[in-house]
Amino acid sequence: MASIIIDKRYCGPPNSGNGGYVCGRLARHIPGAAEVTLRAPPPLDSPLDAIATDDGTWELRDGGKAVATARAVSVELAQIETADLLEARAAELHALSRPHEHPLPHCFVCGPARAKGDGLRIFAGPLRRQAQTPVLAASWAPDPNLTAGDGLIAPEFLWSALDCPTGFACNYDQQSGSFEKTPLLLGRMSARIEARPRPGELCIITAWPTGRDGRKRTADAALHDEAGRLLALARTTWIAVERDVQLGRG
């Protein structure tokens, strides 16, 4: 058993942890690719127990309540979208990057109210391409304060970086060229890390929707370095909720 504390810095909604970050923290206990299912809003600044089960899975528990479960999986995507740095930076101009228009302006990953070096400030916007499936992209240069002991960016921050862009991909309406306002919460995330970047190394994130089924929305994402080397892949499932639920009020 191990103890995990989600510092308030790593919030998504105001009172709970960013889903991708929490998934990445629990996935550290799984060798290779992992799938993490979030079962309750991860509380902030509270000791949580990471417990190995007999079947090889891991549970993150808040007392007697399961917050998340993780298991080993194979992560293969049907397609992998790419973009170059110029395309990504052009796409960011069309992202929800102003606090007054953003659904969670203080989110650790995508919140525009977070200062540089505090939040990741990843603002994914649509690529201006003629394609059947819309693709969002953003650039990212990881801050040195995200570094693990080996000098590379810690894996949970790669999970984080792949999280929010998929949520915006789920809510992007290609016909209108705008984002829907449906409140979403991350329900499940699977990721495979191929390589981890160094601090300051320019990276490009792409994300694209893959389906809808009732309240569920799915999207995939990829992280590449500036030279086009694949760093990580992710599959996500998001759940449409009421705004009060997204904010932790319901």
Side-chain angles (χ1 to χ4, degrees):
M1 184 174 72
S3 180
I4 292 176
I5 296 177
I6 308 301
D7 188 271
K8 63 183 179 181
R9 176 190 176 190
Y10 304 121
C11 70
N15 301 312
S16 59
N18 170 266
Y21 174 81
V22 175
C23 289
R25 284 291 301 272
L26 187 57
R28 275 190 169 222
H29 297 284
I30 305 290
E35 174 190 273
V36 183
T37 301
L38 295 168
R39 304 196 179 279
L44 301 171
D45 290 338
S46 178
L48 306 174
D49 295 323
I51 302 170
T53 64
D54 292 338
D55 62 0
T57 64
W58 281 76
E59 288 189 352
L60 187 64
R61 300 191 67 82
D62 180 16
K65 181 172 65 176
V67 173
T69 57
R71 66 187 184 99
V73 294
S74 174
V75 179
E76 302 292 341
L77 304 186
Q79 64 188 60
I80 299 177
E81 299 289 350
T82 61
D84 62 33
L85 184 60
L86 289 178
E87 288 178 312
R89 286 180 169 166
E92 290 168 334
L93 299 176
H94 305 283
L96 296 181
S97 57
R98 298 178 180 85
H100 72 275
E101 65 184 10
H102 196 283
L104 297 171
H106 293 279
C107 173
F108 170 64
V109 175
C110 64
R114 301 294 289 264
K116 185 178 180 181
D118 177 31
L120 302 190
R121 295 180 57 83
I122 294 174
F123 306 129
L127 292 172
R128 297 309 190 186
R129 294 177 178 171
Q130 295 297 323
Q132 186 173 1
T133 301
V135 179
L136 273 60
S139 63
W140 179 44
D143 193 89
N145 67 31
L146 308 177
T147 306
D150 61 1
L152 302 177
I153 299 303
E156 56 265 31
F157 299 118
L158 275 64
W159 284 72
S160 303
L162 291 168
D163 168 18
C164 295
T166 61
F168 284 103
C170 287
N171 262 356
Y172 182 68
D173 184 337
Q174 191 171 25
Q175 286 191 327
S176 67
S178 62
F179 292 93
E180 300 175 14
K181 295 183 179 180
T182 305
L184 300 176
L185 286 176
L186 183 67
R188 177 174 291 162
M189 185 171 186
S190 305
R192 186 182 89 226
I193 296 175
E194 296 287 315
R196 289 155 47 216
R198 295 187 177 278
E201 183 178 346
L202 283 170
C203 301
I204 298 159
I205 300 154
T206 48
W208 55 98
T210 56
R212 292 191 181 190
D213 182 10
R215 293 171 56 224
K216 292 183 180 181
R217 304 186 181 191
T218 57
D220 293 345
L223 178 69
H224 292 83
D225 67 14
E226 190 177 4
R229 177 180 60 143
L230 178 65
L231 301 176
L233 297 171
R235 293 193 307 254
T236 61
T237 300
W238 293 77
I239 310 298
V241 297
E242 297 295 328
R243 177 64 169 165
D244 281 350
V245 173
Q246 184 187 45
L247 295 175
R249 299 172 183 163

